[in-house]
Amino acid sequence: MESIPHSFITDLRRRGIKDERTLASMAKVPRHLFVPADIRQHAYDDRALPIECRQTISQPFIVAWMTELLQLRGGERVLEIGTGSGYQTTMLAELCGQVVTIERHQHLSQLARSRLDQLGYTNITFHVGDGTLGWPSGAPYDACLVAAASPGIPEALTDQLAPGGRLVIPVGTATDQEMVVVTKGNDGRLHQRSCGGCRFVKLIGEQGWHVSADEDER
């Protein structure tokens, strides 16, 4: 079985990832199992790669960065929007108590579930639907990670955060976004800060980007 290169973690440290739990998870989960076979030789390059349904698996630094920004300590209930390949999902599952993950493409959700079942994860619940609306029946969540770019902060997601909860989401235009951390105070007020530039595929849904039927990538 292909091993994770030592340089993979060294490069993440060099780029500023400091959380040891995040780094340990990145060192444990084999990214090559989450990319198509024909580009598997690029699995540990620090770049996004294409996957099924015209989506992408985020570059390793972005996965580590978003995970670190959530500041998980173990035991949390986390909502993930955009299951994709399931790679980011595994990072959350390694670091928290329970992951609820939503994907709008049924095919991607099924592939991710099969992979993560084979890897032995038992603390993940998979759903297919509009991620911009969250998953209200599982709320409140201690943290939420959105793996797609939104034109604004979906109110449904902040509503489903527990007091003290944290939302990490790319926000901006279709081509240029900022990574935003939203923290919900004990009084329910939202506190927002930008952490730097990034670029993701669009977050499609009722409280995200709207596309016509012929533009939809399903």
Side-chain angles (χ1 to χ4, degrees), residues 41-77:
Q41 69 272 24
H42 299 296
Y44 296 99
D45 295 353
D46 191 28
R47 58 176 167 134
L49 295 171
I51 60 172
E52 297 82 2
C53 300
R54 299 182 183 179
Q55 301 299 295
T56 61
I57 177 173
S58 296
Q59 73 181 93
F61 170 73
I62 293 292
V63 172
W65 185 29
M66 294 185 78
T67 303
E68 184 175 66
L69 288 172
L70 281 183
Q71 298 183 7
L72 299 174
R73 294 295 176 260
E76 295 96 343
R77 185 170 179 80

Side-chain angles (χ1 to χ4, degrees), residues 1-216:
M1 178 176 169
E2 184 177 343
S3 60
I4 298 174
H6 177 71
S7 59
F8 185 62
I9 303 304
T10 301
D11 288 346
L12 292 175
R13 289 185 185 277
R14 178 181 54 79
R15 294 202 61 184
I17 303 301
K18 297 180 174 63
D19 181 62
E20 292 298 331
R21 296 181 73 239
T22 296
L23 290 165
S25 296
M26 298 291 290
K28 177 180 178 181
V29 178
R31 189 173 188 251
H32 59 271
L33 298 182
F34 296 82
V35 302
D38 61 338
I39 56 171
R40 196 156 286 174
Q41 69 272 24
H42 299 296
Y44 296 99
D45 295 353
D46 191 28
R47 58 176 167 134
L49 295 171
I51 60 172
E52 297 82 2
C53 300
R54 299 182 183 179
Q55 301 299 295
T56 61
I57 177 173
S58 296
Q59 73 181 93
F61 170 73
I62 293 292
V63 172
W65 185 29
M66 294 185 78
T67 303
E68 184 175 66
L69 288 172
L70 281 183
Q71 298 183 7
L72 299 174
R73 294 295 176 260
E76 295 96 343
R77 185 170 179 80
V78 178
L79 176 64
E80 179 191 36
I81 309 304
T83 312
S85 69
Y87 182 64
Q88 174 73 77
T89 317
T90 65
M91 299 302 157
L92 302 176
E94 286 284 333
L95 297 173
C96 74
Q98 182 69 34
V99 180
V100 176
T101 184
I102 308 173
E103 172 56 53
R104 75 185 187 99
H105 296 284
Q106 185 172 13
H107 181 60
L108 283 183
S109 182
Q110 291 172 337
L111 288 176
R113 182 169 190 163
S114 177
R115 288 188 188 106
L116 301 190
D117 282 350
Q118 290 179 27
L119 288 171
Y121 289 95
T122 59
N123 62 336
I124 305 168
T125 304
F126 296 84
H127 298 287
V128 176
D130 182 350
T132 70
L133 303 179
W135 198 258
S137 64
Y141 300 98
D142 303 300
C144 177
L145 183 148
V146 181
S150 179
I153 306 293
E155 185 177 352
L157 300 184
T158 56
D159 284 348
Q160 291 170 41
L161 280 181
R166 186 182 301 266
L167 165 67
V168 175
I169 180 172
V171 178
T173 68
T175 58
D176 186 28
Q177 304 114 32
E178 286 281 321
M179 192 69 74
V180 174
V181 177
V182 180
T183 303
K184 191 172 193 175
N186 291 329
D187 59 0
R189 293 184 181 181
L190 301 177
H191 307 273
Q192 180 177 320
R193 64 185 174 94
S194 296
C195 299
C198 57
R199 186 169 182 180
F200 281 75
V201 297
K202 288 181 178 180
L203 177 66
I204 305 299
E206 184 177 321
Q207 295 189 21
W209 294 95
H210 300 277
V211 295
S212 62
D214 59 345
E215 290 177 309
D216 199 343

